[in-house]
């Protein structure tokens, strides 16, 4: 694949994903410079972008997605996963109402916050900081659980779980379709 074909494939992918023109020009200029540097060093364009140009372009487009859109997607998919976990809990306990204790709330809040933070930052905390954050989150949840006891704060009805599935459904369907067609979401 020539450098011009790589640039054309990336441009097409980014146009499809809705990257604005200014960002696209900047990305194409940067990619073109990398391709020229690789060519000068005796390497091919495939060495720069890998064997699948569409996957490369999709990954770069995801990295350039604005923070508010990434936050919305992450929150929606978080609700989607939470909805499935709650449906599973309802099915396992064979009940239409789940008791929510402070320990449950603390655990879900800590896990949700850590997951969203991790997703938004793209896992760039580093190993030591990641473990430190995980340990702090676990200790916080354990302390809150110990202090609050087993009192029931409220009951979660069965209809709340499918309601939590709704915000993430379009993203989950889109991701499934992208996986089926061979392009990472």
């Amino acid at each position: 694949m020539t450098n011009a074909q790589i640039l054309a494939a990336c441009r097409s992918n980014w146009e499809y994903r809705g990257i604005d023109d200014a960002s696209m020009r900047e990305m194409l200029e940067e990619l073109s410079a990398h391709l020229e540097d690789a060519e000068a060093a005796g390497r091919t364009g495939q060495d720069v972008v890998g064997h699948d140009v569409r996957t490369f372009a999709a990954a770069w487009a995801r990295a350039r997605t604005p923070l508010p859109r990434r936050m919305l997607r992450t929150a929606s998919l978080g609700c989607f996963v939470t909805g499935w976990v709650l449906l599973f809990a309802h099915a396992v306990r064979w009940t239409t109402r789940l008791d929510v204790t402070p320990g449950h709330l603390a655990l879900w809040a800590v896990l949700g916050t850590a997951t969203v933070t991790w997703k938004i930052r793209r896992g760039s905390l580093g190993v030591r900081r990641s473990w430190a954050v995980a340990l702090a989150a676990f200790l916080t949840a354990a302390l809150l659980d110990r202090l609050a006891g087993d009192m029931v704060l409220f009951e979660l009805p069965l209809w709340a779980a499918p309601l939590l599935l709704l915000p993430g459904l379009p993203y989950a369907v889109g991701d499934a379709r992208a996986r089926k067609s061979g392009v990472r979401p």
Side-chain angles (χ1 to χ4, degrees):
M1 186 172 246
T2 67
N3 289 353
Q5 290 172 327
I6 291 172
L7 290 171
C10 288
R11 174 188 291 274
S12 169
N13 191 297
W14 295 333
E15 284 175 349
Y16 173 76
R17 293 177 180 278
I19 301 290
D20 62 286
D21 290 336
S23 295
M24 192 180 328
R25 278 193 301 275
E26 178 185 326
M27 292 163 68
L28 285 170
E29 287 173 10
E30 184 177 342
L31 178 58
S32 179
H34 285 298
L35 291 172
E36 289 171 7
D37 290 344
E39 194 174 297
R43 297 185 354 229
T44 66
Q46 297 289 344
D47 294 333
V48 174
V49 299
H51 294 291
D52 191 358
V53 178
R54 290 185 305 173
T55 302
F56 169 80
W60 199 352
R62 274 193 310 280
R64 294 289 295 227
T65 304
L67 180 63
R69 284 181 68 192
R70 285 198 324 251
M71 286 176 49
L72 177 64
R73 175 185 168 78
T74 302
S76 297
L77 287 174
C79 286
F80 186 76
V81 169
T82 302
W84 278 111
V85 168
L86 289 174
L87 277 176
F88 181 73
H90 280 288
V92 166
R93 294 184 182 152
W94 201 252
T95 182
T96 59
R97 297 197 172 275
L98 290 176
D99 293 337
V100 178
T101 64
H104 289 123
L105 268 182
L107 177 66
W108 280 99
V110 167
L111 286 177
T113 302
T115 303
V116 168
T117 303
W118 181 266
K119 181 70 176 164
I120 288 172
R121 292 191 42 87
R122 299 264 186 229
S124 61
L125 291 176
V127 175
R128 288 185 185 152
R129 287 183 185 157
S130 297
W131 280 102
V133 167
L135 180 63
F138 174 75
L139 291 176
T140 302
L143 179 65
L144 285 172
D145 186 36
R146 195 60 77 189
L147 290 175
D150 288 337
M151 68 179 184
V152 175
L153 296 175
F154 59 91
E155 290 182 344
L156 195 64
L158 178 61
W159 58 263
L163 191 64
L164 284 170
L165 293 173
L166 291 177
L169 197 57
Y171 293 110
V173 169
D175 290 355
R177 285 183 180 169
R179 256 186 258 111
K180 187 176 180 180
S181 69
V183 177
R184 288 183 58 202

